[in-house]
Amino acid sequence: MTQNLETFKNLLAEISDLSGIASVLSWDKETQMPRGGIETRAVQGATLARIIHQKGTASALKELLTQLEPEFAAQESFEGALVRQVRRDFDRKSKLPTEFVAEFSQARARSSNAWQEARGKNDFKTFLPHLEKMFEMAAKAANHYDSSVHPFDALLFDYDPGLKTEDIRGIFADLRSETVPLVKAIAAKGETVDYSILKRHFDIDKQKAFALEVSQAFGYDLNRGRLDPTAHPFAINFSRDDVRMTTRYDPNYLPMAMFGTFHEAGHAMYEQNTGEHLRRTPLARGCWSTVHESQSRLWENLVGRSRAFWQHWFPKLQTYFPESLHDVDAQMMYKLVNRVQPSLIRVEADEITYNLHIMLRFELELAVFEGNLKVSDLPEAWNAKMQDYLGITPPDDARGVMQDVHWSEALFAYFPTYSLGNILSVQLLETARENLGDLNGMFAAGEYAPLLGWLREHVHQHGKTYLPPDLIARATGKPLTAKPYLAYLENKFSDLYGL
Ligand code: ZN
């Protein structure tokens, strides 16, 4: 048995090495590669992906798994978690017929190209057949995975195993009834600060230096990381010892790179702090989408958009930009970075309206999967919901139904995890506060080590050892609940806007 376990671990280590190499190639493609390299790199990536897939679905691995399961599958140990995770992956992959995977992957690539072109031309009609195909194939995939459950549940398993559509409906109903009146009350108040301050000139090199200074203070380890510019920000892990992040800059808009970097630093610190014993295994990753997003949102919003944070950091920021910020102080900065305003684009939305963008997508996806909405009617349904939730109507489909990449790549059931990450971030922070005491005092002193230490102990070090519901219950003593998050929104924004 020891021999089998060794062989099993060696196989997984090889797969993990190859995946790390594939990630290096993909990081390089997004940040460094000359345009001419695109086609060859795509072929190289496909070759690697094929080898990884072969190793991950090989009969040798399956046999080892079957032999190890009787002893380890029910064990509360590292080996037990490893065996369960490999079984989950293995079963998931083997449920889709090979021809279906190939067809889906080709259709997805075509759809993604069509979306890019159609969005540029604001032409939903040319994208429509591809989007119909994406919904149709995702429904087929859901049916292959598990025809006995709601298709949305079958798809959700990839992003948040254990989470159910019905749970999301319940949580979102609470969130909606709290959020919609709050947005209206804030709009009725009118604006008290001059937000154009954030659109003054901010030198890009200085933006980068400040974002990195803060990220390091949070605990992002630059010995095992770096920051580069890209069109679409992301964090990527080659191993726990090399976790890189990217951001995008606008010299005439300060918040984008700053909060974008805090966000990615949250993801990256999670990956840097997975347990050393998980190295070169499929468990050396953050625990799926909701928990991952809770970490990025925690540092971006709960820390980075807090009053205590700006008490400490505003004087420093002012030394980076003495001219552009000469007439601002910490309290004003706190107001500036917490503007609530209904807007068209999800990724630019504030803390409150962001969730309404997510609910809209969740409800539309469900309506299509449940046969209550035709894909061709999505633009109209989108605009109606925008009007209903946010009081605005997109002037075109490029800034409406076609704004996100997700649907063009059949990433359905993914959106809810963004809002659930927001919800979980507060649940975790409040539990940490019960354990650690005066977190605001620490933030005001620029001290983050106690918080990061708590997160490392209760969340990060476990990687994928537990499924999300278990991890959440272990870390906070409760299942995922929207209550702390709703109280946080209410308190923070009532105070900010004098409601
Ligand atoms: Zn994120």
Side-chain angles (χ1 to χ4, degrees):
M1 192 55 73
T2 335
Q3 182 59 44
N4 277 346
L5 190 60
E6 259 336 277
T7 317
F8 181 65
K9 284 183 182 171
N10 286 340
L11 245 172
L12 295 177
E14 256 179 42
I15 295 172
S16 155
D17 291 345
L18 290 167
S19 307
I21 294 166
S23 296
V24 177
L25 288 187
S26 111
W27 172 84
D28 175 76
K29 179 172 134 262
E30 301 299 326
T31 59
Q32 309 288 330
M33 193 181 76
R35 285 181 60 85
I38 290 180
E39 284 196 17
T40 318
R41 180 57 53 84
V43 176
Q44 291 165 340
T47 300
L48 250 181
R50 195 173 58 244
I51 296 171
I52 293 169
H53 183 80
Q54 279 164 356
K55 283 191 181 286
T57 51
S59 54
L61 185 67
K62 191 180 183 183
E63 271 164 37
L64 285 165
L65 191 58
T66 316
Q67 282 164 13
L68 292 168
E69 275 175 329
E71 181 173 350
F72 295 105
Q75 233 180 51
E76 273 288 316
S77 64
F78 161 64
E79 281 79 14
L82 197 56
V83 162
R84 287 191 292 275
Q85 174 58 25
V86 174
R87 167 59 67 191
R88 263 192 300 274
D89 268 359
F90 200 93
D91 284 353
R92 190 78 178 163
K93 278 181 202 139
S94 50
K95 274 185 181 149
L96 298 183
T98 319
E99 322 80 72
F100 177 80
V101 173
E103 191 196 341
F104 201 174
S105 139
Q106 276 179 12
R108 197 184 273 125
R110 276 197 292 270
S111 165
S112 169
N113 285 336
W115 168 74
Q116 252 171 22
E117 213 164 291
R119 189 173 71 150
K121 293 182 191 153
N122 184 35
D123 178 12
F124 181 76
K125 274 207 181 74
T126 59
F127 177 48
L128 176 61
H130 296 277
L131 186 57
E132 282 171 335
K133 182 91 180 164
M134 289 299 102
F135 270 104
E136 186 194 310
M137 296 208 73
K140 277 188 191 160
N143 198 46
H144 284 302
Y145 286 138
D146 188 351
S147 57
S148 69
V149 299
H150 193 294
F152 208 83
D153 280 340
L155 298 174
L156 204 48
F157 188 87
D158 278 334
Y159 315 122
D160 203 323
L163 185 70
K164 297 279 172 284
T165 307
E166 281 318 301
D167 303 336
I168 304 177
R169 279 192 224 260
I171 289 174
F172 280 8
D174 291 346
L175 195 51
R176 188 182 309 108
S177 58
E178 178 81 11
T179 307
V180 173
L182 199 53
V183 173
K184 288 204 171 114
I186 289 170
K189 273 280 174 179
E191 295 188 340
T192 54
V193 222
D194 175 10
Y195 292 101
S196 71
I197 288 169
L198 297 175
K199 295 188 172 167
R200 291 173 180 170
H201 180 74
F202 298 94
D203 178 76
I204 285 179
D205 290 334
K206 289 182 183 169
Q207 287 193 43
K208 179 179 177 183
F210 179 74
L212 269 182
E213 190 182 340
V214 175
S215 300
Q216 282 183 281
F218 285 166
Y220 177 63
D221 181 359
L222 266 187
N223 266 328
R224 301 186 290 138
R226 54 179 288 137
L227 173 65
D228 294 89
T230 37
H232 304 284
F234 61 90
I236 190 164
N237 147 357
F238 309 152
S239 76
R240 71 188 291 284
D241 299 321
D242 190 348
V243 187
R244 304 184 186 186
M245 46 186 195
T246 69
T247 197
R248 58 180 158 191
Y249 299 94
D250 180 343
N252 297 308
Y253 189 56
L254 182 61
M256 189 165 75
M258 182 163 69
F259 290 105
T261 309
F262 299 169
H263 182 98
E264 298 309 332
H267 284 304
M269 288 190 288
Y270 191 177
E271 298 287 338
Q272 284 186 334
N273 286 300
T274 55
E276 299 212 22
H277 64 293
L278 306 180
R279 217 187 271 273
R280 298 179 79 211
T281 77
L283 302 179
R285 293 269 156 178
C287 176
W288 291 272
S289 310
T290 296
V291 182
H292 231 303
E293 197 64 8
S294 78
Q295 297 307 293
S296 54
R297 292 302 190 172
L298 188 150
W299 294 99
E300 175 193 359
N301 289 334
L302 308 188
V303 179
R305 284 191 165 93
S306 69
R307 181 183 273 126
F309 174 89
W310 286 107
Q311 282 167 4
H312 178 79
W313 285 102
F314 185 73
K316 295 223 161 137
L317 183 68
Q318 215 170 19
T319 64
Y320 279 94
F321 306 108
E323 275 155 37
S324 296
L325 295 176
H326 69 96
D327 52 352
V328 182
D329 63 19
Q331 172 62 14
M332 195 196 226
M333 189 68 190
Y334 172 58
K335 284 191 175 178
L336 288 171
V337 299
N338 282 295
R339 179 188 206 178
V340 175
Q341 190 193 38
S343 59
L344 297 170
I345 308 295
R346 173 184 62 88
V347 295
E348 292 164 10
D350 58 80
E351 270 186 273
I352 300 186
T353 59
Y354 186 89
N355 300 307
L356 295 169
H357 289 270
I358 296 299
M359 281 177 223
L360 170 155
R361 287 154 177 76
F362 170 66
E363 287 160 13
L364 294 179
E365 284 181 22
L366 272 187
V368 174
F369 280 115
E370 290 173 350
N372 299 322
L373 179 66
K374 284 194 291 190
V375 179
S376 56
D377 291 336
L378 269 171
E380 211 177 306
W382 180 289
N383 293 351
K385 276 202 192 288
M386 281 296 289
Q387 190 59 45
D388 191 16
Y389 289 168
L390 292 163
I392 48 178
T393 299
D396 50 52
D397 292 333
R399 282 172 282 182
V401 72
M402 284 197 291
Q403 66 180 264
D404 295 305
V405 67
H406 303 59
W407 287 355
S408 72
E409 297 181 356
L411 269 176
F412 303 112
Y414 191 92
F415 281 118
T417 67
Y418 290 126
S419 279
L420 297 172
N422 289 336
I423 287 169
L424 179 59
S425 69
V426 177
Q427 191 175 338
L428 285 166
L429 193 82
E430 290 313 316
T431 315
R433 201 191 302 279
E434 284 163 23
N435 293 176
L436 300 171
D438 184 15
L439 283 179
N440 287 347
M442 294 176 204
F443 296 168
E447 259 177 50
Y448 309 101
L451 177 59
L452 183 61
W454 188 91
L455 292 169
R456 188 183 294 131
E457 183 186 339
H458 296 277
V459 180
H460 300 174
Q461 62 157 336
H462 301 302
K464 281 187 153 168
T465 302
Y466 306 111
L467 290 181
D470 297 339
L471 185 84
I472 294 168
R474 278 168 181 269
T476 70
K478 294 183 199 80
L480 182 66
T481 159
K483 265 202 190 116
Y485 181 66
L486 296 177
Y488 158 82
L489 287 182
E490 176 78 37
N491 290 338
K492 175 173 178 177
F493 290 95
S494 298
D495 171 59
L496 256 165
Y497 281 90
L499 301 177

